Amino acid sequence: MTMKYKLVYFDVAGRGEVIRLLLHQAGVEFEDNRIKGEQWPSLKPEMPFGQIPVLYVYTDEGTKILAQSNAIARFIAREHGMNGKDSWESAQCDMLVDSMGDLRDLYIKWKFGPDADKESNKAKLFESVPVFLTRMTKFVEANPSKSGYLVSSELTWADVYLAHFLDVLKAVEPNALAGHPKIQKLQEKVWSLPRLKAYLAERGPLS
Ligand SMILES: N[C@@H](CCC(=O)N[C@@H](CS)C(=O)NCC(=O)O)C(=O)O
């Protein structure tokens, strides 16, 4: 079955970037449809939950539409061999992505929260980062394959999610990974995969 995708999202990294990264790593053709703010009001009613990202999936049976960023990322991972080799590894991916989401919530609180709370929200975020990185290191160490990835002998979407999230943190605190060499190595390993390397070279750093 030939399947093509169209990802609809704003022209920012936000909740769309992990999906873009997974589509690039999957090596599939897809349309990276980056919409402008003024296009949004007319598109919004088409979306299952009135929000984006949304993935259009073109199949022999017709066009399907999938919403919710993690559901989309998990679907691409499952379709293209990045969801672990069995249901246990896949559950670990879910667990790790959920835990990264918890930290991401602190990031969002800092970034988009009221100016009056900026200092204290940033302090809360960066107090949590070393604890989080230490926990991530334990998963890398406990991975029986010793691949340097989080849960499997091969890349999973949890590794891609982490590599991207680390760049989000580093854009705020360039030294955020200092003292966490296994996590630094994991990120280098993910970003040196040829398809991701090519995409990042074209995309440039996060702003
Ligand atoms: N839980 C959803 C949240 C999606 C979401 O908040 N999308 C925002 C952009 S990041 C959006 O569509 N905002 C425009 C709107 O709500 O009208 C997901 O993870 O996909």
Side-chain angles (χ1 to χ4, degrees):
M1 187 201 289
T2 54
M3 190 193 276
K4 287 188 185 168
Y5 304 110
K6 176 169 82 171
L7 175 68
V8 180
Y9 193 57
F10 297 114
D11 188 15
V12 294
R15 294 179 193 271
E17 195 60 19
V18 167
I19 300 169
R20 293 186 187 113
L21 289 161
L22 291 168
L23 286 164
H24 280 283
Q25 178 58 19
V28 284
E29 235 183 281
F30 76 102
E31 184 187 337
D32 188 4
N33 186 202
R34 294 167 180 251
I35 65 158
K36 297 198 185 332
E38 61 263 28
Q39 293 172 270
W40 177 235
S42 63
L43 281 174
K44 188 174 169 80
E46 257 183 56
M47 305 303 163
F49 301 101
Q51 290 194 312
I52 43 181
V54 147
L55 185 75
Y56 288 87
V57 184
Y58 304 108
T59 73
D60 294 344
E61 295 94 51
T63 303
K64 298 173 180 182
I65 181 168
L66 187 65
Q68 294 295 342
S69 53
N70 282 350
I72 298 169
R74 190 180 294 109
F75 169 72
I76 294 160
R78 204 184 297 126
E79 289 288 305
H80 299 282
M82 293 179 278
N83 196 29
K85 66 176 181 313
D86 53 32
S87 71
W88 178 247
E89 287 190 357
S90 148
Q92 285 193 299
C93 290
D94 290 346
M95 170 185 72
L96 288 162
V97 168
D98 281 356
S99 83
M100 294 177 219
D102 291 343
L103 191 61
R104 193 175 178 278
D105 289 345
L106 287 185
Y107 169 83
I108 288 169
K109 220 171 169 180
W110 162 70
K111 181 127 178 147
F112 301 106
D115 281 351
D117 299 339
K118 283 263 182 229
E119 282 299 307
S120 66
N121 282 343
K122 189 174 179 188
K124 271 183 215 151
L125 169 63
F126 282 96
E127 265 161 34
S128 304
V129 168
V131 180
F132 166 78
L133 295 175
T134 301
R135 289 186 175 138
M136 291 296 125
T137 298
K138 285 188 184 157
F139 282 97
V140 173
E141 287 170 349
N143 180 344
S145 73
K146 302 287 170 223
S147 62
Y149 290 132
L150 285 164
V151 301
S152 189
S153 54
E154 303 299 329
L155 178 82
T156 66
W157 69 294
D159 299 305
V160 176
Y161 194 113
L162 179 60
H164 171 66
F165 185 52
L166 295 174
D167 273 354
V168 171
L169 293 175
K170 286 202 289 187
V172 189
E173 286 288 347
N175 293 327
L177 303 196
H180 302 275
K182 288 186 178 156
I183 300 303
Q184 255 166 324
K185 264 191 133 165
L186 183 151
Q187 193 191 35
E188 283 161 18
K189 189 174 161 77
V190 175
W191 286 164
S192 66
L193 293 166
R195 287 173 182 153
L196 291 180
K197 194 174 174 178
Y199 170 60
L200 291 197
E202 175 202 317
R203 185 203 72 185
L206 297 175
S207 49

